[in-house]
Amino acid sequence: MAKSLGLAFWGMITALLTRFFGDELKAWVPYFTNRLLRIAIERLPEAQRERFSEEWASHISEVPGEFGRIVFAMGCVVASQEMASMLKYGEALLSRGFKRSLDISISVAALFLVAPLFLCIMVLLKLESAGGSVLSREERLGANGRRFLMYRFRLGTIDKKLELANGQLKKKKQLSPLGYFLWRMDLHLLPQLVNVLRGEMTLVGPRTLGDR
Amino acid sequence: MGMEVRLTAQTFKVLGALLTHSPDAISGAEIGRAATLQSGTLYPILLRLEQAGWLESRWEVETPQELGRPRRRFYQLTGVGESKAKSAFRDITSTLGGLAWQSR
């Protein structure tokens, strides 16, 4: 009896608290979102502030849910950072030339450093299958839709026979032990440094299109 | 002006949404829904495309007083933008052979 009374008591308290915090949250959301939007707007250059303060105010009124509106306002803070640097410097903070020179120096240094490893992997791949190629070349789209061949180490596969429930044998392709190791350690991506050196890829950038 | 457009997967989503509605102008909220992009990704892309001259934008015609709410801003591909977007889509389709940017 005492136990169930206690349970009812705590149940009531929890319900009240939930209600209280729920109401409280609802009351505070407009305040929070306004604060966030103001922070976002203030990061933009003077000339753009009026436009986006109205545009975002109108967009946020179409976003459903209190939570969604907070996420939207936080997104605006993120967006304003990029938009401000875009408008101020014409590009992202790092200029193209500087980024390219970073790419070249880092990829050259890295290629020198990993050269022994590079050779080992090439020898191992040749040992695994003498006829097979060491590199795989896949067509990808890079910056501005430029096409290029992306290099990777070829991951060897082996046929594995699987016995099905009805006793039949089924062939299944599986990564070879070496292939699995390279894939697991991301070592098969090393030849992409050559793509970076050639200016087709960059060390920090969006995923190439056509990638999984 | 003269800004380069970076054709990322997200940019393709935005262009796709605009091309579907072209020649009608649609609001940022509609583009966000159609392209399933959050504000943090969407607005930098819209601004970039606009600065590069692919897009133009204008306010809703009514005043905020008449509407009783802030005005929406509508986006529309320019002639140049439309042809560039279409050729970008052609390029990517011929390489990848499908609507890869629409898969989620």
Side-chain angles (χ1 to χ4, degrees):
Chain A
M1 187 63 194
K3 207 174 174 185
S4 63
L5 262 181
L7 218 67
F9 173 73
W10 285 116
M12 222 158 76
I13 292 282
T14 320
L16 278 174
L17 280 179
T18 315
R19 175 80 194 276
F20 174 74
F21 281 116
D23 286 351
E24 206 50 13
L25 183 72
K26 248 187 211 147
W28 279 85
V29 163
Y31 172 79
F32 273 134
T33 51
N34 279 338
R35 278 294 285 269
L36 286 170
L37 282 180
R38 214 173 318 140
I39 293 172
I41 298 291
E42 273 163 19
R43 288 166 117 181
L44 293 175
E46 199 82 48
Q48 304 288 333
R49 288 188 190 162
E50 208 173 321
R51 167 185 164 182
F52 283 101
S53 108
E54 186 166 0
E55 185 168 359
W56 285 341
S58 117
H59 188 156
I60 204 171
S61 66
E62 293 184 45
V63 175
E66 315 283 337
F67 185 68
R69 281 192 280 278
I70 291 186
V71 172
F72 177 88
M74 289 196 299
C76 289
V77 177
V78 176
S80 66
Q81 167 91 38
E82 198 183 331
M83 291 157 77
S85 71
M86 195 194 302
L87 290 165
K88 272 186 205 139
Y89 306 103
E91 245 320 309
L93 280 174
L94 289 180
S95 75
R96 296 233 152 184
F98 181 60
K99 193 164 184 223
R100 180 76 193 112
S101 56
L102 264 186
D103 275 351
I104 294 176
S105 44
I106 295 178
S107 62
V108 167
L111 278 170
F112 266 107
L113 278 175
V114 299
L117 185 64
F118 220 94
L119 279 175
C120 286
I121 295 174
M122 283 165 80
V123 169
L124 284 172
L125 281 170
K126 271 288 161 198
L127 284 178
E128 191 188 60
S129 93
S133 62
V134 170
L135 292 175
S136 77
R137 302 171 182 79
E138 284 170 60
E139 190 168 67
R140 294 295 163 95
L141 288 184
N144 304 317
R146 240 179 326 120
R147 263 168 234 208
F148 68 97
L149 291 175
M150 188 171 77
Y151 299 118
R152 288 182 172 183
F153 282 127
R154 183 185 51 83
L155 295 178
T157 52
I158 44 175
D159 288 333
K160 199 171 184 187
K161 288 197 178 88
L162 280 179
E163 201 173 329
L164 296 177
N166 55 11
Q168 275 183 322
L169 283 177
K170 198 188 158 201
K171 270 192 186 167
K172 198 187 161 200
K173 283 236 184 286
Q174 202 182 20
L175 285 181
S176 67
L178 176 63
Y180 179 77
F181 175 78
L182 292 179
W183 172 75
R184 198 59 221 263
M185 305 307 250
D186 283 337
L187 290 175
H188 66 299
L189 304 176
L190 278 182
Q192 287 180 0
L193 284 171
V194 177
N195 291 119
V196 174
L197 188 57
R198 288 166 58 159
E200 295 157 336
M201 293 176 83
T202 176
L203 287 171
V204 181
R207 205 160 246 270
T208 60
L209 289 170
D211 221 340
R212 299 279 138 196
Chain B
M1 281 298 138
M3 200 170 293
E4 267 186 76
V5 174
R6 285 192 298 180
L7 289 171
T8 60
Q10 285 91 340
T11 311
F12 271 112
K13 282 182 168 181
V14 170
L15 291 175
L18 286 159
L19 275 176
T20 329
H21 289 85
S22 181
D24 295 333
I26 54 176
S27 70
E30 285 172 284
I31 300 173
R33 271 195 297 274
T36 60
L37 290 179
Q38 279 292 343
S39 50
T41 334
L42 175 67
Y43 280 100
I45 293 177
L46 286 178
L47 186 63
R48 191 181 287 270
L49 288 172
E50 190 172 354
Q51 298 270 317
W54 290 38
L55 293 184
E56 50 194 12
S57 64
R58 54 174 171 78
W59 289 115
E60 214 164 353
V61 264
E62 293 89 347
T63 62
Q65 287 74 33
E66 287 166 358
L67 292 164
R69 58 167 174 77
R71 288 170 299 173
R72 277 182 242 173
R73 199 164 174 103
F74 292 115
Y75 291 85
Q76 191 175 16
L77 284 166
T78 59
V80 182
E82 182 153 352
S83 64
K84 285 196 175 174
K86 279 183 179 159
S87 84
F89 268 98
R90 259 196 306 278
D91 275 354
I92 187 182
T93 322
S94 68
T95 309
L96 302 173
L99 303 176
W101 60 91
Q102 284 186 344
S103 60
R104 293 186 204 118

